[in-house]
Amino acid sequence: MIQLILFGPPGSGKGTQAARLVDQFHLIHISTGDLFRYEIGNDTELGILAKSYMTKGNLVPDSVTIAMLRKKVAAHPDANGFIFDGFPRTIAQAEALDTLLSESDDTIDALIALEVDEDEIVSRILNRSLTSKRADDGNEAIIRKRIHVYRDETTPVFEYYDAKGLSHSIKGTGTVDSIYDKLQGIVVPLLAAQSEN
Ligand code: ADP
């Protein structure tokens, strides 16, 4: 069992790297953003609620997000482990995740942050908006709002796990392969240490 948090600002490449980790290590990838977009696509009550926050660049309220995450984790009782992408985004979410994992005597093994500066993020997301059709991607003011929400509400989550000695930071620029090499440099020793125990 390995429990990873893939961390970093919007557009830092978490989804791209998560897909590669899933292929290599057979983990379950949970992206709260993808889950919300699925609900929006199906016009569910949850989707309509989430959309009202997401299109403004705000976070969906913790109670809603945590309940959705719990349901998703519970749907995979036999998983090898999880990659949490876009969650936790607040300290309350981090505490809820720790509680949830502790119910099955588990804990987070590592938080890995991808570092990308603001201008690079804005240009990546505007570029993505040409194909993603995401309502929150095409407008520079909304993108900058998301980055500020990340700075104010989400970066404390890095400190929260850093205080437990679990946070790592790597540069999120360069080729996808070179970033993945650095990620593996963190994940492989963790798995090796686990298989020794
Ligand atoms: P990005 O990281 O590129 O902004 P995501 O797909 O992770 O994209 O998230 C898009 C939006 O979905 C966020 O701006 C927020 O409104 C909502 N969202 C996703 N995850 C969470 C979360 N853990 N808590 C609250 N809101 C969330």
Side-chain angles (χ1 to χ4, degrees):
M1 266 301 224
I2 183 162
Q3 311 293 354
L4 294 177
I5 297 170
L6 208 48
F7 196 76
S12 56
K14 300 185 293 285
T16 306
Q17 298 294 337
R20 300 190 61 165
L21 287 168
V22 166
D23 279 349
Q24 187 172 355
F25 300 109
H26 309 292
L27 304 170
I28 304 285
H29 176 210
I30 300 188
S31 156
T32 42
D34 287 349
L35 293 175
F36 285 132
R37 281 185 287 279
Y38 176 82
E39 299 290 335
I40 290 170
N42 287 308
D43 251 333
T44 64
E45 208 175 310
L46 171 59
I48 292 162
L49 176 75
K51 189 175 180 182
S52 67
Y53 293 92
M54 289 167 74
T55 50
K56 296 191 187 80
N58 289 318
L59 296 183
V60 179
D62 283 336
S63 57
V64 175
T65 307
I66 290 166
M68 180 180 73
L69 190 277
R70 254 187 184 274
K71 211 168 125 194
K72 187 72 186 175
V73 169
H76 297 279
D78 301 322
N80 254 340
F82 291 93
I83 301 175
F84 299 99
D85 161 2
F87 185 97
R89 257 178 160 95
T90 62
I91 296 287
Q93 291 181 15
E95 289 170 348
L97 179 59
D98 287 351
T99 304
L100 170 63
L101 293 176
S102 73
E103 288 164 11
S104 43
D105 285 327
D106 216 329
T107 54
I108 288 295
D109 294 290
L111 174 152
I112 308 174
L114 300 175
E115 279 174 33
V116 182
D117 72 36
E118 179 161 340
D119 287 342
E120 167 77 14
I121 289 167
V122 173
S123 94
R124 281 188 190 183
I125 296 178
L126 285 172
N127 206 23
R128 181 171 75 184
S129 75
L130 302 175
T131 51
S132 77
K133 300 190 179 71
R134 275 176 55 168
D136 56 346
D137 272 359
N139 175 316
E140 182 163 346
I142 302 287
I143 297 170
R144 293 210 185 262
K145 166 79 181 170
R146 281 156 60 197
I147 295 169
H148 294 146
V149 168
Y150 174 78
R151 294 258 155 78
D152 296 344
E153 301 185 46
T154 305
T155 50
V157 172
F158 184 94
E159 316 301 333
Y160 174 88
Y161 286 104
D162 201 30
K164 300 173 191 272
L166 299 175
S167 290
H168 305 256
S169 192
I170 61 179
K171 260 181 102 96
T173 48
T175 62
V176 171
D177 281 347
S178 72
I179 299 163
Y180 190 64
D181 280 348
K182 289 183 213 147
L183 265 176
Q184 274 187 317
I186 297 168
V187 175
V188 169
L190 281 175
L191 283 165
Q194 284 201 349
S195 59
E196 278 167 21
N197 291 332

